[in-house]
Amino acid sequence: MMSLYSPGETALHRLPAGTKLLGLVLAGTSLFFVADIVVLSGALILVCGAYLVANMTVKTLFAQLRPILWIVLILFVAQAFINGWQAGLVVVLRLMNLILLAALITLTTRVSEMTDTLEWAIQPLGWVGVDPRKISLVISMAIRFIPLISQITAEVREAQRARGIEKSIVALAIPVVIRTLKMADDIADAMEARGFDADPR
Amino acid sequence: MIELQDVTHRFGDLTVLKGVTLELSERRIGVIGSNGSGKSTFARLLNGLQIPTSGHVLVDGQNTRHQARAIRRKVGFVFQNPENQIVFPIVEEDLAFGMKNLKLDQSVISQRIDAVLERYDLTAFKQHPAHLLSGGQKQLLAISGVLVMDPKYIVFDEPTTLLDLRNKRRISQAIAELSQSVVMVTHDLDLLGDFDRVIVFHDGRVAADDVPRVAINRYKALLCP
Amino acid sequence: MRTKDLVYVALFAAVTAALGLFPPIAVPVLAVPITAQSLGPMLAGAILGAKRGALAIALLLILVAIGLPLLSGGRGGFGVFLGPSGGFLVGWVLAAFVTGWLFERSWSTLTYWTGAIYTFLGGVVALYTLGIGWLAVAANLSLFQAAAGSVAFIPGDIVKVLIATTVALAVKRSYPIIEERSDG
């Protein structure tokens, strides 16, 4: 399975996922109370420094900002127009800090470590009747299903091309959904045949 | 031994099995019949995936109606489409699934995984995404997932229907080599040559129950009278 | 939840992820491209019902959060939730829940137009309420300004409401999942 993780051996890669996430929560909350351009700029320099520590290229850093580039620009213009350019800069700096920090965690933490941390973090839910085991089960199943659904979609599309239906999302979606629901029922049977018990008593 | 005592099964208004009584004790039992003859329902009754509307299915004396859970550990089930019984994305994880349900020790789990991968020449694929395997390898993985649970009986529901000729041979050889008792529902009559017994279903009843050659001839006569 | 319900939840998380693989459709009249992915929450709610539908979308968001690039355009990771449009992602869970709840309530009397109205209430009204509120807070805008910045997406979402309703009702006829049960 593809992931956004970028392998490495730096201190940031080795830091436990839980610590990094806690750091993100704390940083995100404090950023919200800061409205000083100098402090926010300083924070941004620190965050960029963290990318260097994690051995990321400048290209990687900019790639993280690209999806929000337009939103940030529009926001800046809107804010500058309504509340002055300082207010615009505060909003933009705050966002860039948050996005870059969050992306850095994603870049330096393996999916498997995230899953383990997630399982650990939801342990307390066991007391209110949620089975953490089931959460890791559905995570794995969803990852297993994605290529399967793409394959079924390709098959259905081919069958429809043969019948002259070219580009109808409805004509594609209906058979795909019905076929995958039937598949889901078969998989549930197969899981029970292999001794799975949704609610063991 | 698996016993069916006067088993009738209905889906709504449709009666798919009508008062079937059988004792299954041979090592290799084939089940054939046209589409809708009730043979798939019959297979699903054997490990408690389906509980009969009336009558009883007993596995070594245990009733599927009351002890389905214990019986599923004893009776493995391999489905037609391997795609639909691989639950986890990675080969190794999927093999571990059934054993984790049995609450086996991690050391036993890894030992059995290595053994079964070796047996079917899949060792190189241990860490592979399951969806990258070929059709035949996927069916071998599905069979492996059942074998590692160490069942006493294995029920196959048309295990070769979706495979090409080469994979068909490979799977049928793998089934022939199993030490377990096998009940196999199939449309592939040539898989049944070496079997001990073949049961023909027709219209929800047992139309023939004999050695393969006799039963298959009877089946052909039923299809093209 | 039965084994089946767990599989359905995983399935619709995966279906919504797969919808993200479709390239965005550029419609000349509209300023913004339409992505197929936001059909996912509407379909999950309308086909699976409130609880399973919302869980399916929540599961997708968990997969995205742990670093899988499953949002359209290959986006993923924590950052997507913290951006100004994060409310429109978290709002998907609410959209699936509201759509599913309305579908469950009137399952046996559902027509195309009531279905479309329910999908609109969940997939547009509920979604935009949360999304616009979030945008206003995250970008320091007034609600009116945040709403003004979001209306460009509404025509595309209405097209999706009509598509999702057609698909959900066709699935209801041939393979119904929501049944009239009080225990859900």
Side-chain angles (χ1 to χ4, degrees), chain A residues 30-53:
Chain A
S30 2
L31 277 172
F32 213 76
F33 292 105
V34 179
D36 187 299
I37 292 176
V38 177
V39 177
L40 285 172
S41 307
L44 189 62
I45 291 169
L46 281 179
V47 172
C48 292
Y51 271 75
L52 291 181
V53 171

Side-chain angles (χ1 to χ4, degrees), chain A:
Chain A
M1 185 77 202
M2 50 177 183
S3 92
L4 299 169
Y5 175 69
S6 165
E9 289 294 328
T10 72
L12 275 165
H13 283 89
R14 287 196 304 267
L15 210 61
T19 314
K20 284 185 262 192
L21 292 174
L22 193 67
L24 178 67
V25 171
L26 291 177
T29 318
S30 2
L31 277 172
F32 213 76
F33 292 105
V34 179
D36 187 299
I37 292 176
V38 177
V39 177
L40 285 172
S41 307
L44 189 62
I45 291 169
L46 281 179
V47 172
C48 292
Y51 271 75
L52 291 181
V53 171
N55 230 349
M56 300 289 159
T57 60
V58 177
K59 199 175 149 215
T60 312
L61 192 149
F62 280 114
Q64 308 310 312
L65 290 174
R66 223 186 33 178
I68 59 154
L69 197 64
W70 284 109
I71 299 182
V72 166
L73 267 179
I74 292 169
L75 274 179
F76 178 74
V77 173
Q79 281 288 348
F81 205 65
I82 302 159
N83 302 320
W85 65 269
Q86 293 94 334
L89 204 54
V90 166
V91 168
V92 167
L93 283 173
R94 204 183 262 161
L95 270 175
M96 282 170 69
N97 268 310
L98 268 180
I99 302 283
L100 284 176
L101 212 51
L104 186 58
I105 293 178
T106 306
L107 285 166
T108 58
T109 316
R110 281 176 202 283
V111 168
S112 57
E113 206 195 329
M114 287 281 194
T115 316
D116 291 346
T117 310
L118 180 74
E119 264 178 61
W120 172 82
I122 57 180
Q123 288 297 327
L125 289 179
W127 298 336
V128 293
V130 180
D131 187 348
R133 212 173 40 105
K134 275 185 201 160
I135 298 189
S136 39
L137 175 71
V138 289
I139 287 177
S140 298
M141 274 199 287
I143 293 174
R144 154 99 184 109
F145 288 165
I146 293 167
L148 220 52
I149 292 167
S150 305
Q151 186 192 321
I152 290 175
T153 308
E155 282 170 24
V156 171
R157 188 181 287 172
E158 206 161 286
Q160 292 188 330
R161 282 218 182 109
R163 289 165 50 201
I165 308 170
E166 272 300 332
K167 258 191 192 166
S168 161
I169 190 162
V170 171
L172 185 64
I174 295 169
V176 168
V177 169
I178 291 171
R179 266 184 65 177
T180 54
L181 282 171
K182 283 182 181 153
M183 173 192 89
D185 286 343
D186 287 349
I187 288 175
D189 274 346
M191 287 168 71
E192 290 187 353
R194 283 165 77 189
F196 179 76
D197 220 329
D199 48 342
R201 270 147 286 173

Side-chain angles (χ1 to χ4, degrees), chain C residues 41-91:
Chain C
M42 301 180 193
L43 289 173
I47 292 171
L48 297 184
K51 189 181 169 193
R52 290 172 296 189
L55 285 172
I57 301 305
L59 174 61
L60 172 75
L61 297 185
I62 289 176
L63 292 168
V64 167
I66 63 176
L68 299 176
L70 299 179
L71 294 182
S72 59
R75 291 170 307 134
F78 268 99
V80 296
F81 296 98
L82 301 175
S85 56
F88 285 97
L89 280 182
V90 177

Side-chain angles (χ1 to χ4, degrees), chain B residues 115-216:
Chain B
V116 83
L117 288 175
E118 171 96 50
R119 173 172 184 176
Y120 290 128
D121 219 5
L122 293 171
T123 307
F125 300 100
K126 188 174 172 182
Q127 300 292 341
H128 263 234
H131 74 271
L132 296 181
L133 298 179
S134 74
Q137 286 170 332
K138 280 177 189 160
Q139 191 58 289
L140 283 176
L141 174 61
I143 294 173
S144 303
V146 170
L147 275 184
V148 288
M149 297 176 69
D150 195 23
K152 185 171 170 190
Y153 309 90
I154 303 181
V155 179
F156 289 87
D157 188 5
E158 302 189 33
T160 55
T161 304
L162 299 174
L163 301 178
D164 62 25
L165 194 59
R166 198 162 54 96
N167 283 314
K168 219 165 253 194
R169 292 217 176 105
R170 191 164 175 205
I171 296 299
S172 77
Q173 192 199 341
I175 294 172
E177 287 165 4
L178 292 174
S179 61
Q180 279 85 354
S181 295
V182 166
V183 177
M184 180 161 73
V185 172
T186 186
H187 286 296
D188 276 326
L189 302 180
D190 31 326
L191 296 185
L192 301 174
D194 303 332
F195 273 43
D196 302 315
R197 173 182 177 189
V198 171
I199 300 168
V200 181
F201 275 91
H202 187 71
D203 198 19
R205 296 178 204 278
V206 175
D209 183 357
D210 216 312
V211 293
R213 211 163 48 85
V214 180
I216 289 171

